[in-house]
Amino acid sequence: MTDPNAIQASELDQLPDRDPEETAEWQASLDAVAKAAGPHRAAYLMRRTLERAEGNGIALPKLLETDYVNTIPTAAEPGLPGDPAMEARITAWNRWNAAAMVTRGSKYGVGGHIATFASAAWLYETGFNHFFRGKEADGSGDQLYIQGHASPGIYARAFLDGRLNEQQLDNFRRESGGNGLPSYPHPRRLPWLWEFPTVSMGLGPLSAIYQARFNRYLTARGIKDVSQSHVWAFLGDGEMDEPESTAALALASREGLDNLTFVINCNLQRLDGPVRANFKIVQELEAQFRGAGWNVVKSLWGSAWDELFQLDTTGALVRRLREVPDAQVQTYQTRDAAYIRQDFFGKDPALVEMAKLLSDDKILECFHLSRGGHEARKVYAAYKAAVEFKGAPTVILAQTVKGHTLGEGFASKNANHQMKKLTVDEFKTMRDLLELPIKDSDFVDGVVPYGHPGADSPEVRYLQERRAALGGPAPARRVHPVAPLPAPAEKAFASFDKGSGSQNVATTMAFVRLIKDLVRDKETGKRWVPIVPDEARTFGMESLFPSLGIYSPKGQTYEPVDRDQLMYYKEAQNGQILNEGITEAGSMADFIAASTSYATHGEAMIPFYIFYSMFGWQRTADQMWQLGDQLGRGFLVGATAGRTTLTGEGLQHADGHSPVIAATNPAALTYDPAFAYEVATIVRDGIRRMYGEAAPGEDPNVFYYLTVYNEPLPQPAKPSATGIDEGIVKGLYRFNTVESAGISVAAANAPRIQLLGSGTAIHWVLKAQRMLAEEWGVAADVWSATSFTELRRDALEADEALLRGEERVPYVRKALHGAEGPVLAVSDYMRQVPDQIAQWVEQDWSSLGADGFGLSDTREGARRHFGVDAESVVVAALAQLARRGEVKATAVKEAREKYGL
């Protein structure tokens, strides 16, 4: 075997050494220190030397971990401004009311979380008192991503501030009565308070990064200067296990997002137990973030530890803290001083001597109570360091105790995440600890009271004065009164009405052509935000590169290889396109930030995110829910859609189910347009509804999902019949009849059938229409079903109206009323998509679709495999008519044999 040391020496030999003797002296010095003072001393010297080199800007690999101590020494901490005693009283009230709210709600069995806010109270309170900017100054303020399980503490502060009342607190997690509070940050449920939904773990940190990045984008493009806005993301150490939590760390550092701070509450616990039982999560996270280029600030130990660190003249204490696994730290939290003396201090002779100088009370104070995240001074120092650091984002690793101040029954217990209430005696102990003026007699019939010092109390006045100085209440969501965007010029849409003539055009290309015209609109063009995950060339969007530019904070520091070509790759500091690379999750986070800019910044932006259809809803449906919860507006475009239109790619690319998933999202208006003029009509309606004048009863807080196809086909002219636009938007209209299509039917008194086609399937249906007439004497009318999902929703609303005693006929029933014969619906998606409307169709119903897994083949081969090609449609239509006795049963067998089915 090769000696690994020899390999290392060989590698070093490849580096030029202009002074080998000096190098040997340094190495000999290190060997001497290790021999004389031990390896710990040698390691200490090396770390300090590397830190000095880093501080002097010498290009060396960074240390990934530092000692398990506070980044900011006590002597370097800035003074805490304001009135610390007053802030402590305010925090005490908020702790109490947060716990009371959840405990009082427990009698209804609705759940709630007490321990998270108890651990993080000072992390929030310090920010609210000194850092978090409200929206009353510039309309944007700071963006706060609140940890979902800490919501009771935020409600408690809003109660103290007068923004919530006791009835609302008592309706925590009981919203159906109309005066309740949602369990977690849900903008759709409490839109005046919450800006960002965060409880789907991992999406908060990902979205925060892209929000900070989008802020820079808005400023760079001259839409609005939001350079003073700071993004704060409050996270749990357990949440960092989610891949999305760390998916974009490199982006944040690469683009120097010093307008972003992560605050990770390291209480060392997740839902079932320790986050890293046998390891140290703080050190792991530090290495991960430092390796990604972030500034890391650790706030681990409270001031009670200062005496211990002063006594540590050998470094034994720091070494011991570094080696004790997290689960054992949790155990110390619940054990007496004798146990800690033996297990922690007893492992090293120097620590044994140190422990002799410490009282039991001192040991318990340090190991039970004193954490960096529980002291306003420590937290303030960390926050100040974060906002003043330039050139990179900052992560604050704040160590806390989960269940802090809730008593021995909660603190650091593995089950405390599921513990929903305190007993009266536990509340009284908490009251005494927090020094709150709540009397025993206030506990009426064993019910814990809410506490409030009074609307004109010094505490409330101080709280409100601090918020006024920082720009108003926070968190707060404001939809600023802005004028609707003017509608783009009609010619951009009308140009598609005449069709493509003899040219074959895919609907993907039709959409891109429409966007090219819309981004040139003088009024609204600059507000479009094209988002694409490294597939722009696939979708024919490369022509937008030189005209719009790809956003990059560095501009273009190189000469592109295709500079001499018309459609060269162009990056620019004010670029309009967000080309995110191979990350659908990052692109969706971009989309969410842009789609909610109308509320976050008072600037309406029109994002469209175009993606490989299969890699949208299947991969990032959780973010689509986040988008709906955050009341986002914009266009999601699933390109290369359908199960049979993308030749050769096969199962993992053949999308036959996205509309099924999209149908489950109440905020998603799902369309499967067949023709270019349908695409234009839907986009025009979306701009009107989301950004213009929504009709009475229309919710503008929706997003449009369009499927577009990569199959070049003739694009017909828009029919001239009345009601076409209404049908396109509502989901169904008659495209033609066999008579209007000029197709002669072989038989007199021909049986008739209604063929519904959605998306690209309408082309097989049109072919089947002609075959049925000319070969089998059957007259077929063809309908374009632009949205089975919207038809179903309209029908469901009609059913609900009927329960209220209101007569209302579903649109699909009105549209098909009087249509002769049965109905056969055909889709390039699963039959579940068209079958959504079956129960509201009065005629006999059947459907064809591409169920099962996709496969690699030609389009023709795939369609024959799934039984959705024109020949299969003909056979299915004949079978449906045969069941009704309108064609001979032998015709079905004859057709199968004729077409080789």
Side-chain angles (χ1 to χ4, degrees):
M1 292 183 61
T2 305
D3 181 359
N5 292 324
I7 294 176
Q8 293 174 9
S10 174
E11 290 173 346
L12 289 174
D13 287 341
Q14 297 178 52
L15 302 177
D17 188 348
R18 65 181 187 183
D19 193 340
E21 287 188 23
E22 183 181 34
T23 303
E25 290 174 2
W26 277 72
Q27 292 171 335
S29 297
L30 182 64
D31 293 342
V33 171
K35 183 176 181 180
H40 294 303
R41 178 61 180 168
Y44 175 87
L45 290 174
M46 286 300 298
R47 285 199 304 273
R48 293 297 175 264
T49 302
L50 287 172
E51 288 170 358
R52 175 60 64 88
E54 183 177 331
N56 289 336
I58 298 173
L60 282 174
K62 289 187 176 182
L63 281 172
L64 294 185
E65 289 184 35
T66 59
D67 289 321
Y68 202 65
V69 297
N70 295 347
T71 302
I72 304 171
T74 301
E77 291 171 0
L80 182 62
D83 186 337
M86 183 67 74
E87 293 173 16
R89 292 205 298 274
I90 292 170
T91 304
W93 285 117
N94 292 338
R95 287 183 182 278
W96 177 272
N97 288 322
M101 180 195 325
V102 177
T103 298
R104 287 168 66 126
S106 66
K107 66 181 179 181
Y108 301 105
V110 294
H113 301 285
I114 299 178
T116 295
F117 179 73
S119 69
W122 277 115
L123 301 180
Y124 292 105
E125 291 298 320
T126 305
F128 285 128
N129 288 327
H130 301 287
F131 291 94
F132 304 157
R133 296 172 65 253
K135 291 181 172 292
E136 292 179 357
D138 62 3
S140 293
D142 288 353
Q143 287 79 59
L144 308 181
Y145 288 77
I146 305 293
Q147 192 178 2
H149 294 144
S151 63
I154 308 304
Y155 291 139
R157 192 171 220 275
F159 170 64
L160 203 66
D161 193 13
R163 294 200 289 164
L164 293 175
N165 57 42
E166 286 195 16
Q167 183 185 12
Q168 290 172 299
L169 296 192
D170 266 347
N171 284 333
F172 174 58
R173 292 194 169 202
R174 294 190 300 138
E175 300 177 76
S176 60
N179 196 31
L181 300 178
S183 51
Y184 302 123
H186 288 306
R188 188 167 286 276
R189 290 299 181 208
L190 201 63
W192 61 267
L193 180 72
W194 298 120
E195 278 197 285
F196 307 107
T198 54
V199 84
S200 189
M201 292 191 179
L203 298 190
L206 178 67
S207 293
I209 290 173
Y210 280 89
Q211 181 65 58
R213 198 285 193 97
F214 188 74
N215 290 356
R216 291 282 176 85
Y217 170 89
L218 280 182
T219 302
R221 290 197 53 220
I223 302 293
K224 181 180 182 180
D225 184 357
V226 294
S227 56
Q228 298 306 306
S229 289
H230 200 88
V231 178
W232 300 82
F234 289 84
L235 319 169
D237 48 0
E239 181 178 5
M240 301 310 294
D241 286 347
E242 288 284 5
E244 295 88 350
S245 295
T246 55
L249 297 187
L251 167 72
S253 62
R254 183 171 65 246
E255 299 204 0
L257 299 181
D258 50 24
N259 60 338
L260 170 68
T261 297
F262 277 14
V263 181
I264 303 182
N265 179 14
C266 297
N267 57 35
L268 314 186
Q269 285 184 253
R270 51 188 176 202
L271 276 64
D272 289 333
V275 178
R276 293 291 184 271
N278 295 299
F279 306 93
K280 301 191 80 63
I281 184 61
V282 168
Q283 298 301 91
E284 178 182 320
L285 291 174
E286 179 184 29
Q288 194 169 15
F289 278 87
R290 286 176 68 89
W294 286 53
N295 176 45
V296 179
V297 177
K298 294 195 290 191
S299 183
L300 308 180
W301 308 112
S303 56
W305 283 83
D306 290 348
E307 179 183 345
L308 275 69
F309 288 122
Q310 290 172 3
L311 294 173
D312 182 29
T313 58
T314 66
L317 176 63
V318 173
R319 290 196 300 272
R320 182 68 179 134
L321 290 173
R322 187 183 180 91
E323 70 189 17
V324 176
D326 283 351
Q328 191 63 22
V329 174
Q330 299 295 85
T331 298
Y332 294 149
Q333 179 69 35
T334 62
R335 298 301 179 89
D336 60 19
Y339 178 88
I340 298 171
R341 285 182 186 278
Q342 179 181 350
D343 192 86
F344 181 83
F345 292 97
K347 303 297 184 181
D348 186 291
L351 294 181
V352 171
E353 294 302 313
M354 178 189 295
K356 293 177 180 178
L357 303 175
L358 305 174
S359 67
D360 286 355
D361 287 345
K362 182 65 175 180
I363 289 176
L364 294 179
E365 180 186 13
C366 288
F367 284 84
H368 285 192
L369 301 174
S370 187
R371 300 291 186 274
H374 294 324
E375 295 188 13
R377 181 185 175 105
K378 304 289 184 185
V379 176
Y380 179 85
Y383 285 9
K384 191 171 188 291
V387 296
E388 291 178 354
F389 190 87
K390 301 303 177 185
T394 294
V395 60
I396 294 169
L397 304 175
Q399 187 162 266
T400 66
V401 174
K402 194 167 186 177
H404 183 60
T405 73
L406 297 181
E408 294 181 359
F410 266 83
S412 291
K413 294 294 171 48
N414 282 340
N416 63 18
H417 195 81
Q418 280 72 35
M419 296 162 69
K420 311 301 180 188
K421 59 183 178 180
L422 278 70
T423 67
V424 169
D425 287 341
E426 286 172 327
F427 265 109
K428 290 179 179 178
T429 300
M430 180 182 177
R431 171 200 62 191
D432 296 340
L433 175 66
L434 298 177
E435 300 179 347
L436 291 173
I438 296 173
K439 301 185 295 291
D440 286 356
S441 59
D442 292 334
F443 291 81
V444 179
D445 297 327
V447 177
V448 57
Y450 292 120
H452 199 293
D456 196 39
S457 64
E459 291 92 335
V460 172
R461 289 201 306 271
Y462 181 88
L463 182 154
Q464 294 176 342
E465 287 168 2
R466 291 305 310 141
R467 290 312 314 156
L470 287 166
R477 181 180 182 273
R478 303 273 180 90
V479 179
H480 304 274
V482 294
L485 295 182
E490 180 61 25
K491 65 179 181 180
F493 306 103
S495 63
F496 293 90
D497 291 351
K498 61 185 179 182
S500 63
S502 59
Q503 182 183 11
N504 289 342
V505 177
T507 51
T508 297
M509 183 53 64
F511 176 81
V512 173
R513 288 181 182 177
L514 174 62
I515 292 300
K516 287 179 182 177
D517 290 337
L518 293 176
V519 296
R520 287 196 290 262
D521 186 87
K522 292 181 179 179
E523 296 289 339
T524 60
K526 68 178 182 178
R527 296 192 177 273
W528 284 89
V529 184
I531 303 168
V532 60
D534 199 39
E535 290 281 2
R537 297 182 191 279
T538 302
F539 309 137
M541 292 175 60
E542 64 268 32
S543 61
L544 298 178
F545 289 169
S547 58
L548 301 184
I550 299 166
Y551 170 71
S552 170
K554 289 186 175 297
Q556 194 156 40
T557 61
Y558 59 92
E559 183 177 354
V561 67
D562 53 0
R563 183 63 180 86
D564 56 344
Q565 298 178 14
L566 180 63
M567 293 181 286
Y568 67 96
Y569 194 82
K570 177 186 176 183
E571 296 186 84
Q573 289 180 328
N574 63 347
Q576 193 164 348
I577 301 170
L578 294 173
N579 190 325
E580 293 303 353
I582 305 175
T583 168
E584 287 81 10
S587 299
M588 267 307 303
D590 261 339
F591 186 89
I592 292 170
S595 70
T596 54
S597 180
Y598 73 93
T600 307
H601 295 300
E603 293 287 346
M605 304 299 288
I606 313 175
F608 76 89
Y609 164 34
I610 187 167
F611 50 87
Y612 234 117
S613 178
M614 186 69 157
F615 305 142
W617 286 90
Q618 172 168 296
R619 184 166 292 185
T620 57
D622 195 10
Q623 289 177 284
M624 274 77 163
W625 273 99
Q626 181 188 15
L627 168 64
D629 200 2
Q630 200 167 321
L631 290 79
R633 306 170 184 174
F635 296 93
L636 294 178
V637 184
T640 59
R643 184 145 277 165
T644 70
T645 66
L646 186 61
T647 57
E649 292 284 5
L651 186 154
Q652 291 184 344
H653 289 67
D655 180 15
H657 54 278
S658 283
V660 177
I661 306 174
T664 66
N665 190 311
L669 276 59
T670 301
Y671 288 94
D672 187 23
F675 304 125
Y677 68 78
E678 294 178 353
V679 172
T681 300
I682 293 166
V683 171
R684 179 177 56 195
D685 182 71
I687 295 172
R688 174 200 62 79
R689 177 170 177 173
M690 295 184 290
Y691 301 97
E693 297 285 356
E698 277 188 329
D699 182 4
N701 298 316
V702 295
F703 59 93
Y704 282 60
Y705 168 55
L706 284 74
T707 56
V708 293
Y709 298 83
N710 69 322
E711 185 175 10
L713 290 165
Q715 296 297 328
K718 187 177 184 177
S720 58
T722 59
I724 296 296
D725 283 2
E726 179 189 26
I728 292 172
V729 173
K730 287 186 175 293
L732 182 68
Y733 69 97
R734 184 166 12 216
F735 176 71
N736 71 15
T737 63
V738 68
E739 293 81 8
S740 67
I743 302 172
S744 59
V745 184
N749 300 318
R752 188 171 288 267
I753 189 170
Q754 308 298 316
L755 301 179
L756 276 59
S758 67
T760 195
I762 204 167
H763 296 281
W764 326 325
V765 169
L766 288 168
K767 181 179 178 182
Q769 178 190 41
R770 182 171 293 278
M771 294 169 66
L772 282 166
E774 297 176 350
E775 300 177 26
W776 304 99
V778 172
D781 299 339
V782 173
W783 300 70
S784 179
T786 55
S787 180
F788 289 111
T789 300
E790 289 307 299
L791 291 173
R792 175 180 175 81
R793 286 178 178 165
D794 172 79
L796 288 172
E797 290 174 5
D799 287 355
E800 292 171 3
L802 188 62
L803 290 175
R804 298 190 300 266
E806 304 171 17
E807 288 294 333
R808 178 177 158 189
V809 179
Y811 176 83
V812 63
R813 186 169 293 171
K814 286 193 293 186
L816 290 171
H817 180 69
E820 184 182 348
V823 171
L824 172 61
V826 187
S827 172
D828 201 21
Y829 293 93
M830 302 167 65
R831 289 176 59 185
Q832 190 173 341
V833 175
D835 285 350
Q836 290 181 92
I837 66 170
Q839 71 186 81
W840 293 281
V841 174
E842 295 177 341
Q843 295 87 344
D844 291 340
W845 172 271
S846 66
S847 62
L848 296 176
D851 285 72
F853 288 107
L855 76 166
S856 298
D857 211 315
T858 63
R859 293 186 178 111
E860 294 75 15
R863 286 162 189 167
R864 176 55 57 92
H865 170 82
F866 287 111
V868 293
D869 58 355
E871 292 79 5
S872 298
V873 174
V874 169
V875 172
L878 293 174
Q880 199 172 4
L881 291 168
R883 286 194 294 271
R884 295 163 55 93
E886 297 181 21
V887 300
K888 295 180 180 180
T890 56
V892 181
K893 181 175 182 294
E894 182 183 344
R896 276 201 302 265
E897 292 174 350
K898 178 178 181 178
Y899 301 135
L901 297 179

